[in-house]
Amino acid sequence: MPRNPADQLKTALLLIALAGLLAGLALWGQPAAPLAWQAATLPVLAALVVEILRSLARGEVGLDILAALSMSAALAFGEPLAASVVAVMYSGGTFLESFASARARAEMEALLTRVPRTATRHKDGALEDIPLDAIRPGDLLLIAQGATVPVDGTLASPMAMLDTSALTGEPLPRRLSQGQATMSGVTNAGEAFDLTATRAAADSTYAGILRMVQAAGAAKAPMARLADRWSLGFLGLSLAIAGAAWGLTGDPVRAVAVLVVATPCPLILAVPVALVAGLSRAAQLGVLIKGAAALEAMARIHTLILDKTGTLTEGRPQITAIHVLDGGDAAGVLRVAAALDQASTHPMAQAIVAEARARGLVLPLPEQVQEFAGEGVAGRVDGQDVLVGGEAFVAARTGRQLALAGVEPGAVTVSVAVGGKTAGRLVMADPLRKGVGPLLRHLREGGIARIVLATGDRAAVAARLTEGLGLTAVHADLTPAGKLALVAEERARGPVMMVGDGVNDAPALAAADVGVAMGARGAAASAEAADVVLLVDRLEPLAGGLTVARRARAIALQSVAAGIGLSLLGQVAAAFGLLSPVQGALAQEAIDVAVILNALRALRIKV
């Protein structure tokens, strides 16, 4: 159930309207029945008038005015049952809208993890946990393995391995030496290390990015409700019909009947029903859309901007080639390297082990393992001395330096030595996700006019990776501010969708018409800034989500058109005296049922 005060009020109004309508029907023919209907209508009418005044103060005119006029006129001219029916229909529509938003909020709270709010500081030879806002420049902090660096600082330990992909887009860990600067928001991919803070948390890189997210979100114009876009014309026509019926016949009850039939319940109800059904269908596909406005915006996307690391690519190192020397065996080189790396927690070591197991290789247990942080691992496998590590690490111990020919931009190499001789090397890179090419073609066929890459990685890496994909444009070496500027530039051409997973993507996600975050492994900041979260670590559901958005919006528009057409026919009948206000309310109920049944087709959208 909705939990914030505004949503709770909408729920209460619906319950009051329903209770009053049913109580009046139970008291049919008794003097208390009209009182029950009036008592149930007045709270809904009062809340509606307050909302209309707020909308008018913002310069907005919506179909809510018709609902208020019909309820007021029905009460004023002695038709409380008709007023009560309108109150139920109107409060039901607003409840459905709030229900969709509340459900999205609840699912997001269950999905997202929050950024740690504490840090560990050295003090008087001991460690203490302190809140982030208590960190001061000069504090010596302990950054545990796997922890996020909380503030900007300089490395106080001899060496550290950092996963900077969330900020820079570099998929492979970086090795930093003592005295080098590091930014907040990156992750410790190696052993624990000490960091000397150079800035307070509020002044650090991560906090600056979050401020950009807030500013970008505030600058994005809110979506108007789809039904309100029809409001002025429908409102004017309905008032004209009601005025003509009263003026030509002198019977105000005919005008009341016209207004009751004109009450835009099909629009107020059918549109949120279609969009909520679309939200549910998208969620079944692994696409969490945060509300009906985001679903509407998805249906109109012109340009798609994709981040590279973790979005277009897997976002983790994988073996792309194995080079062997002196007629060696590639599987054998991989086997001994993976066997030794079983003793290491380094992300690249874990990737090597995962690849070997995926190939079905049996890995013996290593012996006498010695790890040299940030450089490599030494030990014995099957009774032989084995070295696995960087080119310099292995060359220094074997006396043989391998040429780097044939290594593509952005790749790193891991040398392997067996029995004191270099046996080969493993080439590791962050490859494209499987099926990216067909997916991009499918998106173009679905109506996306421009597909653009935006990455913080190097231009050479981006160019090599996207070769043959037919992208409209490739932008590399982008900072978070650069991605934000790119979104603004592309929005001048049409509605923009931005897809990313890192902290550096969060401002652009917030600024885009629709921001899409990779929720399975992406940063919490990006998921919170986004309008849409992919619940699986794949891009394929995005195409299905776009199809659902387009079809749900089309169904909503069909319902709007049908509702307006049927309502106009009913208004004409009421103007000629063929429908009383109560009959008009019942006719409106029949129209509601028809358009809602049509709207529910969004639950069965095929992709």
Side-chain angles (χ1 to χ4, degrees):
M1 182 174 289
R3 291 174 291 175
N4 67 43
D7 290 346
Q8 289 174 349
L9 175 62
K10 292 173 183 177
T11 304
L13 290 174
L14 174 60
L15 294 176
I16 291 170
L18 277 172
L21 176 62
L22 295 175
L25 292 174
L27 296 169
W28 185 272
Q30 301 182 34
L35 295 176
W37 292 324
Q38 291 170 3
T41 302
L42 288 173
V44 177
L45 179 58
L48 179 53
V49 169
V50 170
E51 183 58 35
I52 289 171
L53 293 175
R54 288 175 178 169
S55 298
L56 292 174
R58 296 192 300 266
E60 300 171 1
V61 178
L63 288 169
D64 297 343
I65 293 176
L66 265 179
L69 286 174
S70 63
M71 280 187 270
S72 301
L75 290 175
F77 292 103
E79 297 290 345
L81 175 56
S84 182
V85 172
V86 173
V88 170
M89 292 298 100
Y90 175 77
S91 58
T94 57
F95 171 80
L96 283 172
E97 289 182 317
S98 68
F99 175 79
S101 298
R103 189 191 65 178
R105 288 196 301 269
E107 290 177 344
M108 283 305 300
E109 289 173 4
L111 171 70
L112 299 177
T113 57
R114 302 294 178 185
V115 178
R117 301 299 180 188
T118 62
T120 303
R121 180 173 65 184
H122 290 275
K123 186 175 182 181
D124 300 328
L127 295 174
E128 61 176 357
D129 288 333
I130 59 172
L132 291 191
D133 57 11
I135 299 174
R136 297 291 179 266
D139 285 349
L140 185 64
L141 308 176
L142 175 67
I143 311 299
Q145 186 177 40
T148 299
V149 176
V151 296
D152 295 349
T154 58
L155 187 62
S157 296
M159 190 278 303
M161 292 296 296
L162 296 177
D163 177 359
T164 65
S165 59
L167 287 183
T168 66
E170 292 278 359
L172 303 177
R174 291 180 56 197
R175 184 181 188 276
L176 267 65
S177 301
Q178 189 169 7
Q180 286 188 285
T182 183
M183 297 179 291
S184 57
V186 301
T187 303
N188 181 8
E191 300 296 325
F193 64 85
D194 289 335
L195 179 83
T196 301
T198 56
R199 293 182 181 175
D203 300 323
S204 291
T205 301
Y206 186 80
I209 291 175
L210 293 184
R211 283 193 291 272
M212 276 195 284
V213 171
Q214 294 169 350
K220 184 165 63 175
M223 285 280 299
R225 289 189 306 174
L226 188 151
D228 285 345
R229 296 171 208 159
W230 301 68
S231 57
L232 286 176
F234 186 71
L235 175 61
L237 185 58
S238 298
L239 291 177
I241 295 173
W246 190 352
L248 294 175
T249 66
D251 184 0
V253 175
R254 290 199 184 188
V256 172
V258 170
L259 290 175
V260 168
V261 178
T263 300
C265 292
L267 279 67
I268 294 172
L269 280 171
V271 170
V273 166
L275 298 181
V276 169
L279 295 177
S280 297
R281 182 69 182 100
Q284 294 171 6
L285 301 173
V287 182
L288 176 61
I289 304 174
K290 302 181 190 177
L295 185 78
E296 276 193 67
M298 284 181 70
R300 301 180 297 107
I301 291 303
H302 173 273
T303 300
L304 174 64
I305 301 177
L306 293 165
D307 173 49
K308 181 182 74 68
T309 303
T311 303
L312 203 60
T313 69
E314 295 287 350
R316 49 182 177 264
Q318 294 185 21
I319 294 175
T320 58
I322 302 176
H323 300 164
V324 297
L325 298 178
D326 305 325
D329 173 44
V333 170
L334 174 61
R335 176 179 174 274
V336 295
L340 184 58
D341 274 341
Q342 291 177 102
S344 174
T345 59
H346 193 284
M348 293 176 65
Q350 294 173 355
I352 292 170
V353 173
E355 177 67 19
R357 287 175 175 162
R359 297 190 184 194
L361 300 178
V362 178
L363 305 181
L365 292 176
E367 300 174 342
Q368 302 175 23
V369 177
Q370 188 176 10
E371 184 163 8
F372 301 84
E375 297 184 276
V377 185
R380 292 181 65 80
V381 175
D382 290 338
Q384 297 186 87
D385 291 330
V386 176
L387 296 169
V388 180
E391 300 281 357
F393 171 78
V394 173
R397 288 159 177 78
T398 62
R400 184 172 185 179
Q401 180 76 45
L402 294 178
L404 294 180
V407 178
E408 64 270 20
V412 298
T413 60
V414 176
S415 290
V416 181
V418 180
K421 296 181 180 181
T422 302
R425 69 179 175 197
L426 311 176
V427 181
M428 306 191 72
D430 183 20
L432 281 175
R433 292 180 181 273
K434 293 181 180 178
V436 162
L439 172 64
L440 296 183
R441 287 194 295 273
H442 181 55
L443 290 172
R444 289 190 196 92
E445 292 167 358
I448 303 296
R450 293 174 57 82
I451 301 180
V452 177
L453 179 72
T455 178
D457 211 342
R458 290 165 291 161
V461 176
R464 176 195 60 80
L465 195 72
T466 59
E467 187 176 356
L469 292 181
L471 298 182
T472 307
V474 175
H475 299 270
D477 297 308
L478 293 180
T479 62
K483 292 186 177 183
L484 190 60
L486 178 62
V487 168
E489 177 185 332
E490 290 292 341
R491 286 189 76 192
R493 296 185 173 94
V496 170
M497 173 182 282
M498 169 75 190
V499 185
D501 75 326
V503 174
N504 60 334
D505 301 318
L509 293 176
D513 295 279
V514 178
V516 181
M518 307 292 290
R521 296 193 306 115
S526 63
E528 290 189 50
D531 305 292
V532 179
V533 177
L534 301 183
L535 301 180
V536 294
D537 190 30
R538 293 182 292 109
L539 276 175
E540 284 80 2
L542 181 61
L546 286 167
T547 298
V548 168
R550 294 189 188 101
R551 291 289 300 128
R553 184 173 184 273
I555 289 171
L557 288 172
Q558 290 170 6
S559 299
V560 167
I564 286 178
L566 293 171
S567 180
L568 288 174
L569 289 176
Q571 290 177 53
V572 172
F576 280 97
L578 301 177
L579 293 175
S580 69
V582 172
Q583 290 170 334
L586 295 176
Q588 188 65 34
E589 288 271 19
I591 296 171
D592 291 345
V593 171
V595 296
I596 288 172
L597 289 176
N598 180 67
L600 287 172
R601 293 191 298 117
L603 287 170
R604 302 187 300 276
I605 294 172
K606 295 181 179 180
V607 297

